[in-house]
């Protein structure tokens, strides 16, 4: 199962939620309290050494969802079974349009 480490009030995790919803990828969600600095603690560092939110964990591997590199490029390694980036040119173009529309 895929786990999304999320913060409901932050904009970057929202983009990850949109990606997962658009792709129909089932996942569990764990809320991370950014106000208290939970992402900087040792427990979260074990999940994501970069201490960033959002992060995905699939099949025991973590995947930081990086806005600069684009969600689909970063997550492809963690979600090989899911068609995260689209299989053909048209779908990849549509996915890029969604990214741009959502500020990714």
């Amino acid at each position: 199962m895929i786990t999304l480490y999320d913060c409901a009030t932050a904009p970057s995790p929202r983009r990850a939620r949109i990606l997962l919803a658009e792709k129909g990828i089932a996942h569990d969600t764990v809320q991370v309290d950014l106000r208290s600095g939970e992402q900087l603690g040792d427990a979260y560092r074990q999940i994501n050494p970069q201490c960033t939110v959002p992060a995905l964990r699939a099949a025991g591997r973590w995947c930081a969802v990086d806005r600069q590199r684009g969600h689909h490029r970063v997550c492809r390694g963690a979600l090989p079974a899911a068609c995260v980036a689209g299989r053909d040119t048209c779908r990849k173009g549509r996915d890029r349009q969604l990214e741009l529309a959502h500020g990714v």
Side-chain angles (χ1 to χ4, degrees):
M1 176 56 92
I2 296 165
T3 304
L4 171 66
Y5 293 87
D6 188 7
C7 177
T9 59
S12 293
R14 180 176 170 268
R15 293 181 189 101
R17 289 191 303 272
I18 290 168
L19 170 83
L20 293 170
E22 287 286 334
K23 295 299 179 177
I25 299 172
H27 63 283
D28 293 327
T29 301
V30 174
Q31 290 295 316
V32 178
D33 185 1
L34 298 181
R35 288 185 197 172
S36 70
E38 182 181 358
Q39 78 279 16
L40 302 174
D42 290 334
Y44 189 74
R45 191 179 305 271
Q46 295 296 316
I47 295 163
N48 178 356
Q50 293 180 350
C51 300
T52 58
V53 176
L56 292 173
R57 189 162 188 81
R61 295 175 51 196
W62 77 274
C63 167
V65 182
D66 184 351
R67 178 179 177 198
Q68 298 296 79
R69 295 191 300 180
H71 297 309
H72 67 278
R73 288 183 221 112
V74 177
C75 296
R76 196 176 342 202
L79 308 172
C83 179
V84 177
R87 290 194 175 99
D88 58 34
T89 305
C90 290
R91 295 193 86 168
K92 288 178 184 178
R94 179 183 172 275
D95 290 347
R96 185 62 187 139
Q97 285 178 330
L98 286 170
E99 287 177 345
L100 293 172
H102 294 293
V104 177

